[in-house]
Amino acid sequence: MAKLSLFERRRRRVRTALKSRAGGKPRLSVHRTGQHIYAQIIDDKDGRTVAAASTLGGKSSGANVEAASKVGKDIAAAAKKAGVTAVVFDRGGYLFHGRVKALADAAREGGLEF
């Protein structure tokens, strides 16, 4: 069996910790690439995506903190529209720094609780 990368080990550790303290709340999952950043609110009970936002359709690139903040505001607005107010934040294997932190802070300002 192949060894897991440090990123994959960190991602699995974060996901395992979230499952223990989620308490039935949906999960705000973040994925980032060099050019874009994506956010989804996932209901793990039903296995469906409740709301999503990304920099794909926008005019700005996701390679900066400002675009990540805009995605955070967009995901908070989409969550309110879907009736979700409280989530658990799944940063994946990414460190809570830079674009991921900016997205989380903007989502909190937009009304999401986590």
Side-chain angles (χ1 to χ4, degrees):
M1 187 167 207
K3 241 181 160 175
L4 295 175
S5 68
L6 291 176
F7 177 83
E8 184 64 25
R9 285 172 41 194
R10 192 167 50 239
R11 186 180 72 82
R12 287 186 182 187
R13 184 173 60 236
V14 167
R15 185 76 50 86
T16 303
L18 282 181
K19 286 180 183 177
S20 67
R21 63 187 163 102
K25 293 185 219 172
R27 175 168 52 100
L28 172 57
S29 179
V30 175
H31 178 72
R32 72 177 170 84
T33 64
Q35 294 183 348
H36 295 286
I37 190 158
Y38 309 85
Q40 288 184 333
I41 296 181
I42 303 165
D43 185 5
D44 288 320
K45 287 181 197 172
D46 298 337
R48 67 183 185 91
T49 299
V50 177
S54 71
T55 57
L56 279 179
K59 297 177 178 102
S60 63
S61 170
N64 56 29
V65 174
E66 293 83 23
S69 294
K70 184 172 179 340
V71 171
K73 291 175 187 168
D74 292 347
I75 195 71
K80 276 187 182 178
K81 188 175 179 182
V84 175
T85 58
V87 296
V88 290
F89 188 70
D90 179 10
R91 63 183 173 86
Y94 307 108
L95 298 179
F96 192 78
H97 177 72
R99 290 185 282 162
V100 175
K101 184 177 188 300
L103 188 145
D105 290 342
R108 281 190 185 114
E109 287 175 14
L112 281 180
E113 295 177 17
F114 56 92

